[in-house]
Amino acid sequence: MKVGIIGTGWIAEKAAITLNGLDNCEAYAVGSRQQETADAFAAKWNIPKAYGSYTELIADKDIDLVYIGTPHSHHYDVTRQAIMAGKPCLVEKAFMANATQAQDIIRLAHEKQVFLAEAIWTRYQPAVGIVRKLMADGRIGQPRMVTATLGYSMGNKPRIMRPDLCGGALLDLGVYALNFVRMFCDADIESIDGHCVKSDTGMDLTNAITIILKDGILANVQSSAQCVGDNIGVIAGTQGNIIIDNINNPQTITLNGPGRTFVETIHVPQQITGYEYQFLACRQALIDKLTEPREMPHTETLYVMQLMDELRRKWGVRYPMDN
Amino acid sequence: MKVGIIGTGWIAEKAAITLNGLDNCEAYAVGSRQQETADAFAAKWNIPKAYGSYTELIADKDIDLVYIGTPHSHHYDVTRQAIMAGKPCLVEKAFMANATQAQDIIRLAHEKQVFLAEAIWTRYQPAVGIVRKLMADGRIGQPRMVTATLGYSMGNKPRIMRPDLCGGALLDLGVYALNFVRMFCDADIESIDGHCVKSDTGMDLTNAITIILKDGILANVQSSAQCVGDNIGVIAGTQGNIIIDNINNPQTITLNGPGRTFVETIHVPQQITGYEYQFLACRQALIDKLTEPREMPHTETLYVMQLMDELRRKWGVRYPMDN
């Protein structure tokens, strides 16, 4: 599978490293708004093609999958363009600025019968299956409570502070916490509420979200762009708990029994970056002629965007794209 | 210091073990509603005096401190009686059923000039000073987020399920999570909100509480009487975090730096049960002729009760004592 990378930032580098480490996927092209940035990126990561515009990359007939690694404020236009050109897309999280954009893009992909996926990498990782199996096997009894933290200390990074870059912790980090809950809890949401501390620019710097599910599980999660979180996720049941060491890139899953007695630690398989699973899932979906990945269906991508819209509305965190 | 223990349950046993391990404190008497229960407890824990009523124990002139270890639904009457008799009291948490009871008892103690303390043991433990020092020394930069969990799987224990026993997770477990926040955050509370999953009997089985402080710290804590919690507390700052292994009885305090890099683990001093610090604090306060302990002033005991009243009101968790 030949992948065209759009964007040359930190996440695009991660994608290039990942693709360079895979046998059946290739970092085939990179696209930037500036030719020299594309050239430099291509030279650094040994990528055959470098385009000075997104349009040129999208037009490359040899590309099997366009990976969109621009900031989330800039996903909509380029994804739309790629889908219109019939190009399968893997779009970084948060998928879009809001649910309206997400719905529009998903509708278009269905209309054009073009593959479209959200690059929420945790959904594709082996940890998902490992944790689900522990739960299904009754190793923690009935789950009752889910907690998760994602916090990075980012100072005053523009992408966190600026409304036009869809700032705040929620879309950048909280999205992982919400997906953590959704991955491991099947029941519908009965209620969702949240609170946040905002920046002078009106973006959520630290937030807390409480979700009550129809089966009585309570999820209480938080994210912050202002501090060093423990980044641990916990699924607590009547007979034990499962502790995931890092909800952003799980490496160890620890099972404890009644009374917090240690049972076992499971390590995820050796990985390149952890991003490989999303590329491999896209590859398989394309082989199988699907229009969405099995691991993260469009309904779920859209639903999480809707939850984030609802929370932002409550908090008064608004982006220009919301108008 | 001669201590008279009221109650013969699990927590009373802990108190006896603790006092038996101390040089300058003594488990001098035990009081139960039944003489034979008192006798059995006294025999088991080598306690000189056994009373078949609380009144007799309170009347014992040799007792320096009455420790009230009955269920929290039953604290009010016996504490009132002891204070009226001029007996210094250490009352188990949750201090009272509600803030009205707490205010009444505190007012009475002030009026009678009798020592009164809440046995919220975590407030008296060395971990408090260790964590506060790490924070004061700027080891985690500016604190931004506090999280804490306390969860025990208790099945359908009457004291959790029954309104007349002041059921629910909040008064039994959530009180530790609230105190965790109050111990390490000095700023006033700007807002507090919470959600819960209730039992058929109307008691909160699992709850989530979000507190925003006036200095912009966000605290998001939870407690549950239905599952095995990780019971970890985290104070996350701009430059690192502090992880406390068990908010109910801290043994290790781990300091991490930027990027979650491990810095150091601090172990608390060897302890008997962890309950000794509250007895020693009472002893010192009595020597110093104080009417409340330095570690947990009455204003704070009352304030936490008021927070719990506010949360219960919001949740519709009502006890008969609320009328």
Side-chain angles (χ1 to χ4, degrees), chain A residues 144-145 147 149 153 193 195-197 206-210 212 216 218 220-222 224 226-231 234 236-241 243 245-246 257-260, chain B residues 144-145 147 149 153 193 195-197 206-210 212 216 218 220-222 224 226-231 234 236-241 243 245-246 257-260:
Chain A
R144 299 291 190 192
M145 186 164 69
T147 52
T149 300
S153 194
D193 196 7
H195 297 276
C196 75
V197 172
T206 301
N207 66 57
I209 303 162
T210 306
I212 293 180
L218 181 149
N220 199 31
V221 303
Q222 53 276 323
S224 176
Q226 295 285 290
C227 61
V228 182
D230 62 306
N231 299 354
V234 182
T238 50
Q239 299 298 320
N241 64 44
I243 300 183
D245 68 339
N246 179 359
R260 300 195 298 142
Chain B
R144 300 291 192 192
M145 186 164 69
T147 52
T149 300
S153 195
D193 197 7
H195 298 275
C196 75
V197 172
T206 302
N207 66 57
I209 303 163
T210 306
I212 294 180
L218 181 149
N220 199 33
V221 303
Q222 54 275 325
S224 177
Q226 294 286 291
C227 60
V228 182
D230 62 308
N231 299 357
V234 182
T238 50
Q239 300 297 319
N241 64 44
I243 301 184
D245 68 340
N246 179 0
R260 299 195 300 144

Side-chain angles (χ1 to χ4, degrees), chain B residues 192-193 305-315:
Chain B
I192 180 164
D193 197 7
M305 286 300 324
Q306 286 165 339
L307 292 180
M308 294 196 293
D309 274 20
E310 190 178 332
L311 291 164
R312 287 199 296 114
R313 211 159 26 235
K314 189 183 149 60
W315 301 342

Side-chain angles (χ1 to χ4, degrees), chain B residues 78-145:
Chain B
V78 65
T79 309
R80 193 164 212 294
Q81 199 184 333
I83 301 272
M84 289 298 283
K87 273 276 176 290
C89 287
L90 173 63
V91 185
E92 256 311 320
K93 42 61 52 185
F95 185 64
M96 295 287 148
N98 55 35
T100 306
Q101 284 191 352
Q103 193 144 35
D104 193 51
I105 288 293
I106 289 169
R107 196 188 296 117
L108 188 70
H110 286 196
E111 201 180 297
K112 301 283 178 193
Q113 284 292 297
V114 176
F115 177 81
L116 172 67
E118 180 184 3
I120 174 88
W121 60 324
T122 50
R123 286 271 191 167
Y124 304 88
Q125 293 181 330
V128 182
I130 295 169
V131 172
R132 281 186 183 155
K133 182 159 177 13
L134 291 172
M135 294 173 75
D137 290 349
R139 303 289 294 276
I140 59 164
Q142 290 296 316
R144 300 291 192 192
M145 186 164 69

Side-chain angles (χ1 to χ4, degrees), chain A residues 234-304:
Chain A
V234 182
I235 303 164
T238 50
Q239 299 298 320
N241 64 44
I242 300 167
I243 300 183
I244 290 108
D245 68 339
N246 179 359
I247 66 160
N248 195 31
N249 188 11
Q251 298 301 297
T252 63
I253 295 150
T254 302
L255 176 69
N256 297 295
R260 300 195 298 142
T261 49
F262 173 79
V263 177
E264 64 172 312
T265 291
I266 302 164
H267 296 269
V268 302
Q270 185 82 28
Q271 65 186 28
I272 303 167
T273 56
Y275 287 71
E276 58 263 41
Y277 300 103
Q278 63 187 10
F279 286 108
L280 294 171
C282 289
R283 181 174 175 271
Q284 194 57 52
L286 288 171
I287 289 169
D288 297 342
K289 301 196 187 312
L290 303 177
T291 53
E292 57 192 312
R294 290 177 181 87
E295 295 81 356
M296 186 61 178
H298 292 165
T299 49
E300 194 57 16
T301 285
L302 181 59
Y303 187 72
V304 173

